[in-house]
Amino acid sequence: DTGVSQNPRHKITKRGQNVTFRCDPISEHNRLYWYRQTLGQGPEFLTYFQNEAQLEKSRLLSDRFSAERPKGSFSTLEIQRTEQGDSAMYLCASSLALTGGQETQYFGPGTRLLVL
Amino acid sequence: SQQGEEDPQALSIQEGENATMNCSYKTSINNLQWYRQNSGRGLVHLILIRSNEREKHSGRLRVTLDTSKKSSSLLITASRAADTASYFCATQGGSEKLVFGKGTKLTVNP
């Protein structure tokens, strides 16, 4: 399978715990995005990377959230001191932007987080 | 905040009928994309239409874009039960982020 992969697919945690999600983009893609989707809503942008540089962050990304893409390949999204309001589907997407243009973003299956 | 707004919120049709979904947005865009999402799963990209394009086809899909009205439509012809899903429009402007609407939930009855 050469698509975007995300692990784990499901995560249940207790309030106050830290969680980390991983995203592996399509191998040659240089851009990687994180979105969050709550029930009945469309996805909302969190942040994106071009190679290893984090170029944009949403105000939704509070100081409890941190994302990294250390070698410009896979990315991790960590949530510290989780709250019940963090319960959502966390989606990762990647794209290939050769000349700085905007291209199709391909999404992974998501990680569903439930905070008890 | 979400820019796009799909209409209708829910649509139920019989297999073989055409399904039309509309999307309106508020600010200027570089492109508009349509995605499909089956229940509880990731998004599947359907089609991208750039701001200088007016219509695009892909298989049974036809997308139109009217930048003067800030609106787009997605037509699925000869629908199948497998088309049952939520459909989202997403816009891209000066930023790389996609801004999604709340989606249209399509049910195709066999």
Side-chain angles (χ1 to χ4, degrees), chain A residues 9 31 33 35 37 40-45 48 56 59 89 91 97 100-110 112, chain B residues 1-2 30-31 33 35 37 39-45 48 50 88 92-103:
Chain A
R9 296 290 307 278
R31 288 186 177 158
Y33 311 79
Y35 292 83
Q37 184 179 24
Q41 303 293 314
E44 293 181 291
F45 171 80
Y48 97 93
E56 188 174 351
R59 65 178 185 278
M89 174 84 91
L91 294 161
Q102 294 171 332
E103 302 300 335
T104 298
Q105 294 182 23
Y106 295 92
F107 282 78
R112 187 174 293 282
Chain B
S1 65
Q2 292 173 308
N30 291 337
N31 68 67
Q33 303 182 39
Y35 286 84
Q37 185 175 39
S39 181
R41 300 197 172 188
L43 291 102
V44 174
H45 182 261
L48 181 153
R50 301 194 188 276
F88 294 92
Q92 247 181 339
S95 161
E96 293 308 312
K97 67 183 180 186
L98 288 171
V99 181
F100 286 83
K102 293 186 179 181

Side-chain angles (χ1 to χ4, degrees), chain A residues 8-9 13 19 33 43 56 60 66 69 74 84-85 89 99 113:
Chain A
R9 296 290 307 278
T13 191
V19 294
Y33 311 79
E56 188 174 351
L60 291 175
S66 63
R69 194 182 184 200
F74 73 91
Q84 288 181 323
M89 174 84 91
T99 57
L113 172 67

Side-chain angles (χ1 to χ4, degrees), chain A residues 15-46:
Chain A
R15 190 177 51 187
Q17 298 293 305
N18 299 344
V19 294
T20 300
F21 310 140
R22 175 176 170 130
C23 171
D24 287 89
I26 294 171
S27 61
E28 68 270 22
H29 283 189
N30 55 353
R31 288 186 177 158
L32 187 148
Y33 311 79
W34 286 99
Y35 292 83
R36 181 174 72 184
Q37 184 179 24
T38 53
L39 203 61
Q41 303 293 314
E44 293 181 291
F45 171 80
L46 293 178

Side-chain angles (χ1 to χ4, degrees), chain B residues 9-54:
Chain B
Q9 291 186 348
L11 179 62
S12 182
I13 59 174
Q14 296 300 122
E15 212 166 20
E17 293 180 341
N18 295 343
T20 300
M21 287 160 267
N22 301 297
C23 168
S24 59
Y25 57 91
K26 296 173 187 168
T27 61
S28 63
I29 62 170
N30 291 337
N31 68 67
L32 184 144
Q33 303 182 39
W34 284 92
Y35 286 84
R36 183 186 74 221
Q37 185 175 39
N38 291 87
S39 181
R41 300 197 172 188
L43 291 102
V44 174
H45 182 261
L46 297 176
I47 202 161
L48 181 153
I49 185 165
R50 301 194 188 276
S51 60
N52 60 354
E53 297 174 311
R54 291 296 166 258

